[in-house]
Amino acid sequence: CTALHNTAFEYANTDDFGALAEIVKRKPHCEQKYFGVNNGQTYTLVNTDNVEQKYEFSRLNLRTLGFKLWKEETTVQSLIDEEAQLAVFRPNPSRRPGFKLHDADGRVIVDGEPFMLHIANYEYDPESEMDDEYDDIPEDERQFYGKEWVKAMSSADQRPCFVNGALHNGTRFHAETIDGIMYIKNENRYLTTHLDPMDDYLYSDVGVPAKDNRIQIHYAEDGNIRLSAWGGRTYADYEWMGDEGGMITFDLEELYLGQSDPLKLRIVRL
C-alpha cells in the first residue's frame, strides 16, 4: 500500500466488491464512504456500505470527478442520478451498420465528392470582446455573418480552425471509405483527434488514424452532423480562440457536458 496525491493504493486479485469494501474498512485513515477500482481504461466508484451502488467512469475524466468528490455533498448515488440526467447529452457509441454520409436533405455524399462544413448552431457571445466587430455590422447583414467560407490555416500543428462559422484547413473536404470505415479528409489529411484530455482538439493528419484517434459521426434530429471521438462519451464543441474563430474540442474531461447545445456541422455541397 502506498500514498500518492492523498490516495491509498491496494493491489488485489479479486473483483469481489464486497471483499474490497472490507479492505477499505480496515483502513480508518482512508475515505470510508466510497472506494475506486481501476479497471484499466475505466474506473468504478463503489459505495463502501452498499457495493451494489456503483458508478463507472472513464480514466479520461478522472480529474473532473476528483473535483466533484472533493465536495462533501457528492456521493456515489448523486453521481448516478446526475448521469441519468446527462444521458440525453451523450452520443450513442454504437456504430450504424452500412453508415452513409448524407447532407441535411438526406442526399448521400459519395466518396470523393467535395463539400464544406459550416457550424449549424454557431452563435456569437454579445458579452465577449471577440464580438465587438459584430456590433458594427448592419442589421440586414447580420443574418449572413458567420456563414461565409473563409480560407484560413490555424497553425503548423494542423488543427482545423473555424473562422466566421466555417470549419476549414486548406481547401475542401471529402469522404473516403476504407475497410467499411468512413473517414472525412481535407485533401490528403484525415480528420482525427488525440485521446488526451489535455490535447483533445480536432486535428487533420496524414495516414489513416488508429482506432483511438478516429472521429465518429452522429446525425442530429435536423439532419446535420455531430462529432465525437470514436466510441466517445461527449460530443465535440467549439472553443473560442479569438477573432471570431477558434478550435474544435471533444471535452474529454466533460467540463461542459450538458451546459450548452453541442456543435452541429452542416454539410454544404460544392
Side-chain angles (χ1 to χ4, degrees):
C1 187
T2 183
L4 177 65
H5 302 308
N6 297 320
T7 302
F9 291 89
E10 180 82 22
Y11 296 92
N13 58 359
T14 178
D15 56 2
D16 182 343
F17 288 163
L20 296 175
E22 292 304 315
I23 293 176
V24 174
K25 292 176 181 179
R26 292 197 298 268
K27 299 180 182 296
H29 295 295
C30 287
E31 170 61 61
Q32 294 294 302
K33 294 195 295 291
Y34 48 75
F35 62 93
V37 179
N38 185 342
N39 308 306
Q41 295 298 312
T42 63
Y43 290 80
T44 305
L45 192 70
V46 185
N47 184 329
T48 309
D49 294 323
N50 178 10
V51 295
E52 295 301 316
Q53 190 180 93
K54 45 189 179 287
Y55 173 75
E56 187 169 297
F57 60 98
S58 167
R59 66 176 179 83
L60 298 173
N61 58 329
L62 178 61
R63 187 176 66 162
T64 304
L65 184 63
F67 283 120
K68 289 183 178 179
L69 295 176
W70 181 67
K71 300 178 180 180
E72 287 296 327
E73 66 270 18
T74 301
T75 64
V76 176
Q77 186 58 54
S78 68
L79 291 170
I80 295 172
D81 295 341
E82 180 181 336
E83 178 59 32
Q85 296 177 355
L86 291 174
V88 297
F89 297 100
R90 293 194 185 279
N92 182 352
S94 301
R95 289 188 57 202
R96 298 176 69 176
F99 178 89
K100 297 290 185 182
L101 187 65
H102 60 73
D103 62 18
D105 295 323
R107 296 178 297 172
V108 173
I109 305 291
V110 300
D111 281 12
E113 181 179 356
F115 59 87
M116 301 184 296
L117 291 172
H118 285 179
I119 298 178
N121 53 344
Y122 179 80
E123 295 181 359
Y124 281 93
D125 178 1
E127 303 300 324
S128 171
E129 294 180 0
M130 303 172 192
D131 299 338
D132 289 343
E133 295 181 10
Y134 184 72
D135 296 330
D136 299 328
I137 299 173
E139 289 284 349
D140 59 344
E141 295 180 16
R142 289 189 182 185
Q143 61 178 320
F144 303 106
Y145 195 64
K147 305 296 184 182
E148 295 181 0
W149 184 256
V150 179
K151 289 187 176 181
M153 293 291 288
S154 58
S155 60
D157 59 12
Q158 297 298 331
R159 285 185 291 185
C161 62
F162 66 85
V163 179
N164 290 345
L167 182 66
H168 188 72
N169 184 19
T171 57
R172 59 193 66 185
F173 295 97
H174 67 273
E176 180 178 324
T177 303
I178 303 174
D179 296 331
I181 305 294
M182 196 223 69
Y183 301 89
I184 294 180
K185 297 183 69 175
N186 166 220
E187 295 183 334
N188 66 331
R189 307 180 72 89
Y190 296 82
L191 292 190
T192 180
T193 189
H194 298 160
L195 203 63
D196 181 350
M198 305 305 292
D199 188 21
D200 59 355
Y201 292 101
L202 179 70
Y203 283 84
S204 65
D205 203 355
V206 294
V208 179
K211 183 176 181 179
D212 286 347
N213 302 121
R214 292 176 187 162
I215 302 299
Q216 191 163 353
I217 299 171
H218 310 265
Y219 286 106
E221 299 78 5
D222 58 5
N224 291 307
I225 63 173
R226 298 189 194 274
L227 306 179
S228 76
W230 190 261
R233 290 167 50 82
T234 54
Y235 288 114
D237 210 341
Y238 50 82
E239 179 177 298
W240 290 106
M241 305 296 283
D243 298 329
E244 298 84 40
M247 306 298 178
I248 307 301
T249 176
F250 290 90
D251 189 26
L252 295 181
E253 290 191 293
E254 303 184 6
L255 299 175
Y256 310 108
L257 180 64
Q259 296 183 21
S260 62
D261 185 30
L263 166 76
K264 286 194 294 188
L265 292 171
R266 179 181 300 111
I267 295 175
V268 180
R269 292 169 178 268
L270 292 176

